[in-house]
Amino acid sequence: MVKNMESNFLSLFGGIFQDEKLKEIISRFELKNMNILKAKNLMTLEVFSSFLVKGSDSEKIEKEIAKALNLWEVKLNIKMPSECFSEEYYPVLVKEVKAKIAASNGFLNDSTALFDGRTLKINLTHGGIELLKNAGAEELMARIILERF
């Protein structure tokens, strides 16, 4: 467990980033935990963010840290307040579901989502609702949302 590092994410990793947008994002991170598995050349960082972090920004941060520290992989687990959730996060959900449930790939292509503050409604352009439910996509999306928000 990381102690007294809540405000030090930027001081630990800020020198790695040239992109001012990414520096601004990480300046607001609170580091909660850091694990390094040397045998797997892997670092996991658990952070809290009081604002929504887009999946593409998260991936860029992971790649920059991994490259700078010569690690095979950096996994950034970001916890955000529930009020930060919106349909803007839907592409992240789709990407993760596609990575974990191969059968979902074609059915989630071109899908859209609306969030009314309580329910995430998904429009599947290519059908496949029963297949997605049977494959566990609905439960996986719910779990990801609960873990992060």
Side-chain angles (χ1 to χ4, degrees), residues 3-146:
K3 295 182 180 181
N4 299 323
M5 288 195 176
E6 284 80 10
S7 60
N8 288 332
F9 194 93
L10 182 63
S11 65
L12 284 172
F13 300 107
I16 292 171
F17 298 92
Q18 302 302 313
D19 185 324
E20 290 301 319
K21 178 185 172 195
L22 294 180
K23 272 189 180 179
E24 173 62 25
I25 291 169
I26 69 165
S27 73
R28 296 183 273 169
F29 281 177
E30 295 176 24
L31 182 61
K32 298 299 185 183
N33 198 354
M34 176 171 41
N35 290 306
I36 301 170
L37 296 172
K38 193 171 184 177
K40 292 187 177 185
N41 208 16
L42 166 71
M43 176 188 283
T44 302
L45 301 165
E46 295 178 17
V47 300
F48 175 79
S49 174
S50 59
F51 62 96
L52 180 66
V53 179
K54 294 180 182 175
S56 58
D57 290 332
S58 178
E59 289 173 4
K60 288 175 189 174
I61 292 167
E62 290 171 339
K63 286 178 184 177
E64 289 290 323
I65 294 173
K67 181 180 175 185
L69 299 180
N70 199 27
L71 295 169
W72 179 256
E73 182 180 12
V74 170
K75 184 66 181 156
L76 190 58
N77 297 323
I78 305 172
K79 179 78 174 169
M80 297 164 272
S82 58
E83 58 269 9
C84 288
F85 183 76
S86 71
E87 62 263 6
E88 186 178 353
Y89 199 74
Y90 181 67
V92 174
L93 294 174
V94 168
K95 184 174 184 175
E96 291 195 29
V97 169
K98 284 180 170 184
K100 293 179 179 168
I101 302 175
S104 68
N105 278 325
F107 297 110
L108 290 173
N109 291 346
D110 305 319
S111 63
T112 59
L114 289 173
F115 183 64
D116 64 9
R118 184 172 162 88
T119 305
L120 181 67
K121 295 180 182 182
I122 299 170
N123 178 31
L124 298 172
T125 308
H126 305 293
I129 190 157
E130 288 305 316
L131 183 114
L132 290 170
K133 283 183 179 183
N134 292 338
E138 186 175 28
E139 291 84 10
L140 179 57
M141 281 190 186
R143 189 171 62 244
I144 292 168
I145 292 168
L146 287 173

